[in-house]
Amino acid sequence: ITEGRLGPSTVVLDHTSGFEGLLLVDDDLLGVIGHSNFGSIRATTCVYKGKWIYEVLISSQGLMQIGWCTLNCRFNQEEGVGDTPDSYAYDGNRVRKWNVTTTNYGKSWAAGDIVSCLIDLEEGTIAFCLNGISLGTAFDNITRGAGMAYFPAISLSFKESVAFNFGSRPLRYPLVVGRGGYRPLQDPPVADLVKARKLLGFLKNVIHIGIDVTEGKLVEKDASMWQLQGEPTVLITLAHIFNYFSPLMVSFACSLQASVGTWFQDLSAVQELLHSTRIASCLPIHYLRLTIAVLKHEKSRKYLLSNVLFDVLRSVVFFYIKSPLRVEEAGLQELIPTTWWPNRFTKESKEVKEESAEERLRRRAYERGCQRLKKRIEVVEGLQVQILKLLLNNKDRGGGEASRYIFLNKFRKFLQENASNRGPVLMQHPTSLAASLLLRSRKENEPVTGNSCIHSCSGVLCADDLAAKANVLIDPAELQAVTMDDLDEDEESATSAAQRPSATLAIGGALARPGWLSSPTLGRANRFLSTAAVSLMNPRRPLGTLEKVKVRTLSVEQRTEEDIEGSHGNEGLLLGRPPEEPDQPITENSLLEVLDGIVMMYNLSVHQQLGKMVGVSDDVNEYAMALKDTEEKISRCPKRRRDIHEELLKSQKVFSEKLNHLSRRLAWINVTIYSKEKMQDIYWLLRVCIRTIEHGDRTGSLFAFMPEFYLSVAMNSYSALKNYFSPVNSMEELPGYEETLMRLAAILAKHFADSRIVGTDIRDSLMQALASYVCYPHSLRAVERIPEEQRISMMKNLLAPYEQRPWAQTNWILVRLWRGCGFGYRYTRLPHLLKTKPEDASLPSLQKPCPSTLLQRHMADLLRSDRDLAPSFLNSVLNQLNWAFSEFIGMIQEIQQAAERLERNFVDSRQLKVCATCFDLSVSLLRVLEMTVTLAPEIFLDWNRPSSELLLRRLAQLLNQVLNRVTAERNLFDRVVNLRLPGLESVDHYPILVAVTGILVRLAVPVPTTETAERATAVLLADPCFQLRSIQYLLGHAEPAAMAAAAAATEKRHFSLSTYTEYISAEELSKVDKMLSHLSEDSACLCQPPTCPPQPTSEEDLCPICYAHPISAIFRPCSHKSCKACINQHLMNNKDCFFCKATITGVDDFTKPASS
C-alpha cells in the first residue's frame, strides 16, 4: 500500500468490470483497440492524494479522449471520458479538452506520439504533455475530498489504438516538478534493480578480464574485442551470474531496462526502434545495433517474433515509420540550420526569375544539410535492413520452424486483418517494409547496383541488374482441372465468408479468395492438397485419372514450412521462373509469398501515404507565395499606418516560421520517401506486377483467378512514379523505362474490356488508367508502340456500343485522341476560364493536346470496314447525346426557376455538379461525332450503306436542336450562363458551339463531291427544326428585330467565332463563311413559292403522331407513315414501329400521289 494510491501494485487496464463497449485488450493488459462506436476503459488503480503521472503511446491518430475519471462515472456508446461530471480528458484529434463542456486546448497528436497525463491532487489541477512538452494546465479546482479517487481512463472510437505505461517500464518523459515531483502509478522494483546492477557489474568485470594461460594470471582485455572462446572458468562464471540474473529478467524485464545501461536496452520496445525518427547526433543508433545483437540470438529472435513484435497492437507500430511532424524532436534543426524554398516565380505565372547571390548561398547550405540528413538516414535504413534480414532467416530450423516462417505467418495475418477491416488501422509509410523489406535487402559487402532482383542465394535477397533481368513473377494458378467440380471445397461458414478480405478478391469474381487458400495469391499447391490434386494442377506432369479431391480449410496459424515451400515432389504453385529457365525456380516460395504480401501492403495503404506526403510540397509553395505577397505589402505600406505595418510583420513572422518548419520536413520526406532508392524499389515492384499479369494472361481463362490488387498496384505504382517523385527524381532516368511503359500500355489496352475481369471497380480503374495514359505524350507514344493487332483490338473495344457499360470514360479516351485536330479544339483551358487559377494544373484534362493520328487511322479503318460496327456505335453515341443534352436543359430550367424566386433560396451544389457534367458529356459526345464525320464521312454521306441516311437525319436533327437551344437571343441558356454560378464554370457558349460548327462545316462544306454536299445540305434544311438564324449567330449576325431590341436594352456584345482569333484559325473562319453562304442560298431557294409543299387539305394528310406536319416519311417494311420529325425523334431511342411494333429497317420519302 502506497500513500495516495489504492489498488494492485501492478497497474493494468481493468478488463473485468471497468469498461464499457467492445474493446480488444492486449495480452499484457496495457494495450487497447476500440471495436465499437465509443468504448471506454479505466485502470485497476486509483489515486486520491499526491502527484501522479502515466503515459500513453498513440498508435493511431483518430478520435480518442484520454484522462482521468472517478468510480461513479457511467459511460455509454455516446458519452465517454470527459463527457460526464468528475471525468476529465484531452482530445488531440480535435485539439480540445473535455469536462461535460469542451474548449480548445493543446496541440494535434499523431501516431507515435507520447501523451503524459498528470494529476496534482495537492493543487487540484490536471495537465497534459505531448512528447514531453507541457500543454499547460487543462483543469483546475477539480473535485477532491472524501470518496474522490481518480482512475486513468480512455474512450476511443472504432479501430483506434493506444498503449499505456503506468510505470511498468521507465517513462519516456519523466517529469519532476518541485521537491515532490510526479510519480508513476506503478513503482519500480527497487530491490531487484539493485541486484541487477550488481550482477551486470559482475558480468562487465568478467568480460573485461581474461586468463593468461601461459603465466596463469588475470589480465585486462578490451571488451569490444571479447569473444567466447570456450574457456571453462569463464563459462562457469558466466553461467553462475546468469543463474541469478535470468529470474530477474523474466519477472521484472521492463523495470530492468533502466539499469542495464548499454548492456541491455528495452527489449519490449524493439518495435519503436524500427520507427525512430531522431536522426541527429542524439539519434539512439545504439538501440538499433543492440536490437540487431539481440535478434542474432536464435531463441530470443523467435520469442520476439512469436510473442512481442506482432501482437495486436505492436504490429501496427512495427510496420510504421513516423514522419517528423515536429522537426525539433527529430533533430532536423541541427542538421539543416539554413532553410530554403523555391520562390523564384511570379504570382501570375511560373516564370522563373534569376537567382540572387543570397538565395544561391542559402540553397547550397540547405542542400549540404540535406546531404548530412541523407547520410544519417542511410545508416538507420541499413540497420533496419539488417534487422529485417535477421527476421527472414531461413537457416535456424533447429528446434522448430525457421524465423522466416514465423514472421511470414504473422505478416500474412496482419495483412488479412487490415484487408478485412478487422484489425487496427494500417499506418504505412513507404520507407518501412514495403520499400526496404526484401526489395532492398542485400548480401553484405555486395556492391549495390541500385536495382534489386530476387533470386536464390543462400536464402537472402541479392542485388542484380534489373534492366537485364527482372525475372520475378507470381504464378496466378496453374489449375489444370477439367472443371471446378474437381475441387470440392468444404462448406465455408458464414462467419469466415463475411471475414474474407475484400481487398483480395480475384479479378474474375468467382472463387475469389476461397477459404482453402490462406494467402492472397491463388496457386499454392500445399500439403493440404492431396497428391491427386497436385497432378491435376501441374502441367509439367502427365494428367492422371480424374479424381474427386477433398480440400480442407487451413488457417494462417496452422500452416507449416511444408505448406509454404512444398514437399513430397510438390513444388507448390507460387513459382518464379525466368523465361530462359522454365523448369528452374529462381527463389524459395516463402520469399515470393513475402513479396506477394508487399504487393498487397502497397495496395492497402502505401500508395495512399505516398500521395499524402505530396501535400507538404504544395504547402511549401502556398506559404512561399503568401510570404512573398506579405513582403510586397510591407514595402508598399504607408509609414503612417503603423498598426497595419505591425500586423503585416506578424504575418511575415508566422509564414517564415511555418516555411522553416516545412522546408526541413520536406527535406526529410525527399530523402526518406521520395529518394532515388525508393523510386527504384517501386519501379521494381511495378515490373514484378507487369510480369505477373503478363504471365497470368497467358494462362487463358485462369487469369480470372489472379487477385485484383496486382492490377491495382501496377496502375498505382506507375502513377506514383509519374506524379510523386518529380521533380527531385525523374522516371525517365530509370532503366528500361520506355519498354516498361509499353508493356503497361499493352496491359491496359488489352484488359480494360477483358471479359475475364468482372469486378466493376477494377474495370473502372483500368479504364481511368488508360484515359490518363493517352493524355500525356510520352505514355501515348507507348500506346502507339504496342503491336498493331493489340492497337486495333483496343480501338474496336472503344467503339463498342455505349449501352450497358460505363461509356463516359470510353468517350473521354476517344476525345483525347482527337483533341488538337478538331475545329477550334487546340485549347488547354476554355477561353472564359483563363483568368481563373486551376485547382490542379497536373490534372489529365489540363494537359496540352496530343492527338494520335495512328489510332485515328485505326478508328477510321474499323468504321469503314465493319458495316455493323459503325451504325451500332454511332446510334449509341446519338442516343447518349440526346439524353445528356436533354438532362442538361431540364436541369438549367430548374436552376433558372430557383434563381427567379423572390424568396431566398439555395441551389444544391450536387445538382450544379451533375448539370455541368451533363454539359461536358454533351460537348465530348459532339467531339466524337466530329471525329467520326471527319475521319469517315462516307458513313453519313454514302447512301449506298443501309443506315447512312438514317444516321445523317438523326445527326441533323440533334445538331439543330442544340443550336436552337444555345443560340436563341436572351434564352434560358444565356440567362444561366450569365449567373456564373460556382460549379457551372465550364458551361459556356464556346465549347458547345465550336463542336457543333466542326460537324456542320465538315458536312456542308465538303471536299470530295458536290453530290454529298447537296445531300447533307438537303437533309439539314429539310429538318423541321432548322433555323438559319442559328447559323448566323455563330458569326455574330443577328436578325434586325433582335438587334434593335438588344441595342435598346443593353450594349451587350454578341457571341461570334471571329472574336476567338487565338483559338480559331482564319482558314476555319472562312469555312464557316462558306457554309453560311451555301445554306443561305439553298434556304432561299426552298422558300420560293413553286418549291413550297402544298398545305394539307384534310386530316388524313397530317402526321398521325403530332398532327402538326404533313406526312413525309414511310417506314420499311411495314409501310406505316408519319412526318420525318416524329420518326427521326422516335428512332433515337427505339427502332420499333409506332403502330405495329415491327422493326424499322429504313425510312423513305413519301409524297402523296397527284391523283389523290
Side-chain angles (χ1 to χ4, degrees), residues 775-794:
C775 291
Y776 301 90
H778 58 280
S779 52
L780 179 59
R781 300 291 89 84
V783 176
E784 294 178 342
R785 289 196 305 271
I786 67 177
E788 182 178 359
E789 182 182 353
Q790 293 185 20
R791 295 198 304 267
I792 295 175
S793 175
M794 178 189 75

Side-chain angles (χ1 to χ4, degrees), residues 623-805:
Y623 276 102
M625 291 297 301
L627 178 62
K628 187 175 181 180
D629 290 345
T630 304
E631 290 173 347
E632 291 177 355
K633 291 177 182 177
I634 291 175
S635 63
R636 297 195 307 267
C637 181
K639 294 183 179 180
R640 63 179 183 277
R641 296 304 305 269
R642 293 184 178 180
D643 53 340
I644 297 178
H645 191 264
E646 290 177 358
E647 291 298 324
L648 289 173
L649 289 176
K650 290 179 182 178
S651 300
Q652 182 187 30
K653 182 180 178 182
V654 170
F655 291 145
S656 297
E657 291 176 352
K658 191 68 176 178
L659 277 169
N660 288 333
H661 167 84
L662 288 175
S663 63
R664 292 186 176 103
R665 189 175 175 215
L666 183 62
W668 184 90
I669 290 172
N670 287 335
V671 169
T672 311
I673 297 178
Y674 298 127
S675 66
K676 187 174 182 179
E677 293 76 16
K678 304 304 185 305
M679 187 177 192
Q680 290 169 343
D681 293 336
I682 294 179
Y683 181 59
W684 185 88
L685 203 63
L686 167 63
R687 299 193 68 178
V688 167
C689 290
I690 289 176
R691 185 176 173 80
T692 301
I693 295 166
E694 290 173 343
H695 178 80
D697 182 37
R698 292 192 291 270
T699 64
S701 60
L702 298 174
F703 176 70
F705 295 98
M706 192 179 73
E708 285 184 356
F709 62 81
Y710 275 86
L711 284 168
S712 298
V713 170
M715 294 180 287
N716 290 336
S717 56
Y718 166 72
S719 174
L721 291 169
K722 180 169 66 71
N723 299 320
Y724 298 159
F725 286 85
S726 60
V728 179
N729 295 292
S730 175
M731 187 179 177
E732 286 80 358
E733 301 172 359
L734 295 169
Y737 160 75
E738 296 291 342
E739 180 197 359
T740 303
L741 272 187
M742 186 187 72
R743 291 169 67 183
L744 181 58
I747 289 173
L748 296 176
K750 181 172 184 178
H751 297 302
F752 82 91
D754 196 332
S755 59
R756 296 172 295 180
I757 302 177
V758 299
T760 55
D761 290 343
I762 193 66
R763 288 173 72 95
D764 290 346
S765 297
L766 285 166
M767 184 75 75
Q768 291 171 9
L770 182 61
S772 176
Y773 225 71
V774 299
C775 291
Y776 301 90
H778 58 280
S779 52
L780 179 59
R781 300 291 89 84
V783 176
E784 294 178 342
R785 289 196 305 271
I786 67 177
E788 182 178 359
E789 182 182 353
Q790 293 185 20
R791 295 198 304 267
I792 295 175
S793 175
M794 178 189 75
M795 294 306 300
K796 190 170 184 178
N797 288 326
L798 289 174
L799 296 176
Y802 282 0
E803 283 79 13
Q804 298 180 351
R805 72 186 185 101

Side-chain angles (χ1 to χ4, degrees), residues 42-63:
R42 65 172 183 262
T44 55
T45 299
C46 61
V47 293
Y48 61 91
K49 183 180 179 182
K51 299 178 180 179
W52 304 92
I53 182 175
Y54 71 93
E55 290 182 342
V56 181
L57 169 64
I58 306 297
S59 298
S60 62
Q61 57 189 21
L63 179 59

Side-chain angles (χ1 to χ4, degrees), residues 83-111:
D83 297 325
T84 62
D86 298 329
S87 67
Y88 307 88
Y90 162 51
D91 175 4
N93 176 262
R94 293 174 287 188
V95 196
R96 305 183 76 81
K97 60 181 180 180
W98 297 81
N99 176 234
V100 182
T101 59
T102 178
T103 55
N104 294 333
Y105 173 77
K107 297 180 181 178
S108 174
W109 60 37

Side-chain angles (χ1 to χ4, degrees), residues 552-563:
R552 64 182 178 86
T553 301
L554 191 70
S555 66
V556 173
E557 293 81 358
Q558 293 173 316
R559 293 188 307 161
T560 65
E561 179 179 338
E562 291 180 355
D563 295 327

